[in-house]
Amino acid sequence: MKFRIADVELESRFFLGTAGYPSPEVLRQAITAAGVQVVTVGLKRQLAHGAGANGFYDIIRASGARLLPNTAGCRSAREAVTLAQMARELFDTNWIKLEVVGDDYTLQPDPFELVKAAQELVNAGFEVFPYCTDDLVTCQRLLDVGCRILMPWGAPIGSGQGLVNPFALRTLRARLPDVPLIVDAGIGSPADAVQAMQLGFDAVLLNSAVAQASDPVQMARAFKLAVEAGRIAYQAGIIARQDMAVATTPVTGQPFTL
């Protein structure tokens, strides 16, 4: 199941957020149970609580996972670019999950500020993972300014609604067949992760569905298996839906296709 993203070869197609866990120890166990190789961290949150608080970075380093800093909480391109530059200095990585909020109620990304920030960061040598909606035109504009990866939402962040617009996501996959696509935000259960992977997406990123579960460690394991199952099903080829019943056992002819 190996795949390449941002010139890095990975085995796990499950990316995990690190916010809101009951304790650092539960976070550590969840990362292990998930088998993830990429974890995200909100720089604003870490700065607010003090860098390195509660051994957070020790947990990440011990896990061996790559760190994907994000610009969560930013509301303008200028603010996001500044935070990304800080993240590169602090974490010694050019990877950045770019978030620019456009609406306080839905936390929907601002497409104009997002594209503006993405272009500036790409020109500055960043590998930009833009958190965007499932709008095809916005996604194309992000690719036009140099993004090589897209992270369209499944639903508003933290809502747990699952994939509210599978049609739009299928369209993205069909129109952008060679672009790494990661469903990010809104996933509520492992079934949602299976659905995303069966649509042909390259990976899934989530946080709240694990961190806020009654048992985050077991839920992390459940999502690990769901992502793997969904990817295998996609590769195996899922049968087309039919409007009418189709007999599975023929009453005439040969029982096997030769």
Side-chain angles (χ1 to χ4, degrees), residues 184-245:
D184 177 16
I187 287 178
S189 79
D192 302 328
V194 170
Q195 183 182 13
M197 299 307 293
Q198 288 183 167
L199 289 174
F201 279 73
D202 296 279
V204 166
L205 191 158
L206 59 94
N207 187 163
S208 300
V210 169
Q212 297 179 17
S214 298
D215 187 336
V217 178
Q218 283 294 85
M219 188 61 75
R221 181 172 180 271
F223 270 106
K224 175 181 183 291
L225 297 174
V227 170
E228 292 175 356
R231 180 63 184 180
I232 292 170
Y234 171 73
Q235 292 176 317
I238 299 168
I239 66 170
R241 293 187 177 185
Q242 305 292 332
D243 292 331
M244 300 178 65

Side-chain angles (χ1 to χ4, degrees), residues 4-257:
R4 293 188 67 82
I5 192 164
D7 299 324
V8 174
E9 188 173 82
L10 300 172
E11 293 185 3
S12 173
R13 294 174 180 268
F14 179 18
F15 294 10
L16 188 63
T18 56
Y21 286 81
S23 70
E25 176 59 20
V26 171
L27 170 61
R28 184 192 67 78
Q29 292 182 31
I31 291 173
T32 300
V36 293
Q37 294 175 286
V38 177
V39 296
T40 65
V41 57
L43 183 57
K44 273 196 169 187
R45 184 183 76 249
Q46 288 302 312
L47 291 176
H49 291 85
N54 299 319
F56 174 82
Y57 297 117
D58 292 336
I59 293 172
I60 303 304
R61 281 192 292 268
S63 74
R66 294 184 65 93
L67 194 62
L68 176 59
N70 68 54
T71 62
C74 292
R75 286 170 168 73
S76 69
R78 180 188 294 265
E79 186 181 10
V81 168
T82 299
L83 199 61
Q85 291 169 337
M86 292 174 61
R88 181 160 64 178
E89 291 297 320
L90 284 172
F91 304 124
D92 191 28
T93 178
N94 70 330
W95 282 21
I96 191 73
K97 179 188 171 188
L98 179 61
E99 299 184 37
V100 185
V101 175
D103 180 77
D104 289 336
Y105 181 74
T106 64
L107 299 182
Q108 181 172 331
D110 181 325
F112 304 101
E113 293 294 296
L114 186 67
V115 172
K116 180 180 177 182
Q119 182 167 27
E120 187 169 341
L121 290 171
V122 168
N123 291 342
F126 282 87
E127 189 71 64
V128 179
F129 293 63
Y131 167 57
C132 54
T133 65
D134 51 23
D135 177 69
L136 176 62
V137 175
T138 299
C139 288
Q140 289 173 324
R141 295 296 176 267
L142 288 165
L143 296 174
D144 289 343
V145 299
C147 294
R148 300 194 296 169
I149 302 141
L150 297 173
M151 304 182 77
W153 69 357
I157 192 166
S159 69
Q161 294 181 28
L163 309 188
V164 296
N165 194 346
F167 171 78
L169 293 175
R170 280 196 299 269
T171 300
L172 284 181
R173 182 70 288 172
R175 293 293 303 277
L176 307 172
D178 300 320
V179 177
L181 299 177
I182 303 170
V183 172
D184 177 16
I187 287 178
S189 79
D192 302 328
V194 170
Q195 183 182 13
M197 299 307 293
Q198 288 183 167
L199 289 174
F201 279 73
D202 296 279
V204 166
L205 191 158
L206 59 94
N207 187 163
S208 300
V210 169
Q212 297 179 17
S214 298
D215 187 336
V217 178
Q218 283 294 85
M219 188 61 75
R221 181 172 180 271
F223 270 106
K224 175 181 183 291
L225 297 174
V227 170
E228 292 175 356
R231 180 63 184 180
I232 292 170
Y234 171 73
Q235 292 176 317
I238 299 168
I239 66 170
R241 293 187 177 185
Q242 305 292 332
D243 292 331
M244 300 178 65
V246 179
T248 58
T249 304
V251 295
T252 61
Q254 297 177 332
F256 298 101
T257 301

